[in-house]
Amino acid sequence: MTRIGVIGGGIAGSTVSVELAEAGFEITLFEKAGEIGGQVSEFGCKATDICTRCNLCLVDSVFNQLNQDSKIKINKGHQVIDSYKENDSFTLYCEEDGNEKVYKGFDRIVLATGYRRWSELETGTPEIFTDQRIIWSGEFEEMLFKRRDYLQNKDLELDIDFKPESAYFIQCNGSRSPQEKAAYCSRVCCGYNYRIARVLRENYPELELGIFFIDMQESGFLTDLSFQKLIDEEIKYFNCKPLRINKRDEQIEIAYEDQAAGEMKKVKTDLLILSEGIHPGKENELWSKLFNLQLNSDGFLEEINPGRETGVYLAGTVSGPGDIATTISKSKAVANKIIAAEKEVVI
Amino acid sequence: MAGSPKYELAWIGDKVETDFKDIQISAKDLVACQGEVGDFILTCNDRNNPAKIEAANIIINLPYQEEPVIEGADSLLNDNYYLKDDEPAIIVQDYPDLSPAFISKVALKRSLEIKNNYPDQEVYYLYQAMRFLEDNDRLYEEARKAGIVFLKFDIGQLTVSEDLKLSYEREDIELELAGTILAAPELKPADQTERLARIFNLVDGYQDYLQLDNIYLQPTQSGRRGVYLLRGSRGPTALTYYKEELDFTLGEIAKNLTGVNEIDDYERTIDDQKCIVCYTCYRVCPHGAIQRDDELNSMKIMELACQGCNLCISRCPTSAIEIDHDYFTEADSEDKTNLIICENSAEIAAEKYNSMTGEEPLSGFKEIVVPCVSTVERKNIIQLLASNSADIMVLGCVAEACKHLTGHDRCQQVIDRIKEDLEKLDLNKDRVHYQRLSPRMATDLGGFLADWKEAVIQ
C-alpha cells in the first residue's frame, strides 16, 4: 500500500490526509504541537445576522474526519528534523520529547507546515503594542472563537475590561513592507478585518469604526468588499498607513495624513486592532535543504521539479499566503495530484 | 450509443490544453444535458460534432461579458488600441467601482507595454486600489520606475465628462486630463449563462453567475457533481486565482476518473404510479440529481448525483418519493426536548464542544440527526409534538454554509407553516423553534443549549 508522510497537522495537512485516506492510502501525519489543528483552530465564526463567508464552516468536519479515520496515524509532538531518500523511499527523523525517532518507508511526502503570524516573529514586539487597548486580529479571532452571542442574543464578550466606544483597524502590518522583509501582500487581512468590523458593528451598533489601509484587496472569495460597502456600513476608511501611534492616558492617538485635504490629522480611539501579515514558517529553510526546494525571495517554498518526479508536494501556506478556502482547495488539488500519479491517470 | 467514443471531459466554451481525452462544445450549440457524473450525455445542435456526446465530466469555461463604463473610450482588455502620438495615454481602473485584481494585472502590463513601445509618451494610471495577485507587486514597482504617473483617487475625486475629459481632484492637485483613455470594463456573467443554468439544472446563481454564493461550492464546483465552472461562468473574481482554480478542477476530474462513489447511504425511489411528472423535485433539487425517465413516464433519482438532503421528499406533492430509512423513528416519549440537528452544522459544533470542554452538550435532549434540515416535514413535527409535551428545537445552517444550498430555507417554510397551523388550532405555537448556526459556533451552541436546558427545567 502506498504510504504518505504528511508534515504539519493544520488545515492543509489535515485536508490532504483525509482526502488521501479516502482514496485508500496509508497516511502518517507529523505534528510538532501537542494538538492537531494549527492556526485555523483558533479562529472563530464571523457571522453577523448573515454569514460573512469566513469559510471556517469547511474546517471542523475535516478535523473530525481526521480523528475518526483509522488509516491515518497521527504523531503529535513530533518535529521532523531530517530526511533521507533511497530507492524512492523516504525516511523521516523526528524529535519527540528530546528523543530521536525514525520512520521509514514513505513513498511520498507532503509538506504543510503553514506560516507564522507577524506577532510570532522573533524580532521582538515594540513596547507600544503591549497594551490591552491594542490587539492583534489574531487575538480578536480567539475572542470570536469563544463567542457566545450569536445564538443567545447576547453582547459579544470581549476579553478586555472596558467597553470601547471606538475601534480602529490598521492594515498591512508585516505586509507590503520591505523593512519587514515582506514586500508581498498577505491577501487575507482586508477580508478578515472587514469581517471583524462587521461583527463589531452588529454587536455594538453605536461603535465608531475606522480602517486604515494602503490598498483594499479582493480577499479570496469574499466578493462584496468595496469602498461603497464600507460607507454603507458606516465604517470610516483612510487610504493611507498611519504615521505615528501615541498612547495617551485615555485613548490611543493615531496620526495620519489626510490625503483628500493634504494635511496631517489625528484621530483618537479606544481600541486599536492590528492586522497580522502572513510570514514564512521557521522551518522553510530546513525544508528547502532537506527536500531540494526553492526558497523564493519572500521566504516561501516553491517546487523546482514537479512532485510527480520528486515525491515531495507542497500544501497550503508553506508556498505562499492564502486564506482558508484557498488553502483547502490548494490542498485538495495536491491530494488529487497524488491520487492521479499513483493511479496513473494523466492530468 | 454503441461505437461512439466516450470523452473524459467536455469543455463548454473555451478549451484548455490537457492530457485528458476531451471535446470542445460551443455553449450556443448545447441543447440538453442528461445523466450524472461519469456518464453525462450532452445533446448538441452542431454540424461538427455528433448529436449526442458522452462525457464523464464537464467544465463550463466561458469568458466574461465586458460592459464599457466610459462611453467612447477604448477597453483596457482590448489588445488592438490606437494611441495618438501627441496625447498622453490614460489608464483608468476602478471607475466607477473597484475592479477585480485581474484587471490590475492587465492594466499594469498594458501601461508598461505602452511605455516600452513609446518611451516619450506620457502614461497616467488612475486607480482606487492596486490589487495584488501573482507578480503584480513586481509589475507595479517596474511601472513606477518606468515613469508611469500613478494617480490614486477616492469616490468622487475623478469625473469623466462626455467629451472624454478627465478631471482629477485630490489634495492640492487639480488636473484636467485628455488623451487616449483605456478604461477597465465592468465584467458581467458570460453570454448564455441563463440558458446553461436551465440546461444543467443549476440553482440560480450569485449575481447572475452560474455558481451560487455558498462556501461548499468553492472554488469551482457547481451544485451538480461533475460539472465545474471557470471564469465568466463562476463568479466576479474567478480570475484572481484562475491558475489554482484550474489546477483544482483538473485534479478533481482526474480523481473522478478513478471512480465516483455514492455520497449518501440510503436508497430513494420514486414510485412511478404516484409520480405525476410535475417536475417539482427536478426544480427544487439543489444538486441536479433528478431527471425524467421517459420509459416509465416518471421522474428518477440519479444515485451518484444525489447528495442525500431529502429536499425532494419534503416537496413532492404526491408523496411519491420513498426512502428506506426513517430519521424520526426514535422520537422520545419521556418528555425530553426533541432536538433536530443538521449533521453539517450543529452536530459538528457539538462534537467540537465536547472535545474542547469534555461536556456533552446534547445530553438531556433527544437528538435526531438529519443530513439536512430540509428532511423535516410537517408530519414529522406534528408526530413529535403529539408524542410528548416537550418542545421541539430545529438547528439548521446559516444560509451561505448550507451544504444543500436551499435546504435551510425549506425548513424555515415548514416551520412557519406549522406555526400558522398551530395558531389556527389555538395550540401553543411556541413549542416549535428554529435556529441557524455554523459548525464553528461550538461555544455558542454549548452555552445556548445549557441555557435552554435550564429554561426547560424551570
Side-chain angles (χ1 to χ4, degrees), chain A residues 19 43 51 53 57 60 68 148 150 152 176 187 214-218 223 227 237 259 325 336, chain B residues 100-101 128 130-132 152 154 170-171 206 213 218 240-241 252 255 400 436 440 444 447 451:
Chain A
E19 293 281 319
F43 296 170
C51 168
R53 307 216 304 158
C57 291
D60 289 306
Q68 285 156 11
R148 333 181 45 147
Y150 181 87
Q152 298 171 78
R176 299 191 63 187
R187 290 181 172 202
I214 306 179
D215 289 301
M216 185 195 284
Q217 297 300 317
E218 238 173 41
T223 46
F227 291 122
Y237 64 89
Q259 297 190 349
N336 289 335
Chain B
Q128 285 190 46
M130 186 58 64
R131 296 185 140 183
F132 291 104
K152 198 171 188 171
D154 208 336
R170 189 183 170 93
E171 288 180 66
Y206 170 70
D213 185 20
Q218 288 168 14
T240 309
Y241 294 96
E252 285 284 298
K255 191 174 106 183
E400 287 84 346
R436 295 176 188 198
R440 230 328 124 113
D444 210 327
D451 286 359

Side-chain angles (χ1 to χ4, degrees), chain A residues 80-184:
Chain A
V80 175
I81 48 171
D82 204 354
S83 159
Y84 174 69
K85 188 184 180 189
E86 193 176 47
N87 301 331
D88 284 339
S89 169
F90 289 91
T91 303
L92 293 177
Y93 298 84
C94 302
E95 203 177 86
E96 191 204 11
D97 285 338
N99 302 318
E100 196 177 289
K101 288 193 167 181
V102 185
Y103 294 84
K104 286 185 178 169
F106 297 110
D107 302 300
R108 291 170 202 274
I109 297 289
V110 178
L111 278 172
T113 48
Y115 66 97
R116 265 187 304 173
R117 296 179 188 177
W118 187 42
S119 56
E120 289 169 347
L121 295 189
E122 279 146 4
T123 49
T125 312
E127 200 188 320
I128 173 88
F129 297 137
T130 54
D131 186 312
Q132 70 147 340
R133 295 170 297 181
I134 304 177
I135 52 178
W136 299 104
S137 52
E139 290 172 301
F140 207 95
E141 289 272 7
E142 287 164 38
M143 290 185 203
L144 287 178
F145 180 69
K146 289 182 273 178
R147 71 188 286 194
R148 333 181 45 147
D149 59 306
Y150 181 87
L151 285 169
Q152 298 171 78
N153 297 321
K154 283 182 183 169
D155 277 351
L156 181 69
E157 279 175 39
L158 300 177
D159 269 353
I160 41 178
D161 55 18
F162 62 96
K163 206 175 161 143
E165 280 171 14
S166 52
Y168 279 74
F169 295 83
I170 299 178
Q171 300 298 101
C172 306
N173 295 302
S175 297
R176 299 191 63 187
S177 146
Q179 297 98 304
E180 307 274 356
K181 290 187 184 153
Y184 54 89

Side-chain angles (χ1 to χ4, degrees), chain B residues 46-64:
Chain B
D46 172 16
R47 246 172 287 161
N48 303 320
N49 282 323
K52 298 260 183 199
I53 294 166
E54 279 190 84
N57 298 281
I58 294 166
I59 295 181
I60 305 175
N61 180 20
L62 296 166
Y64 288 95

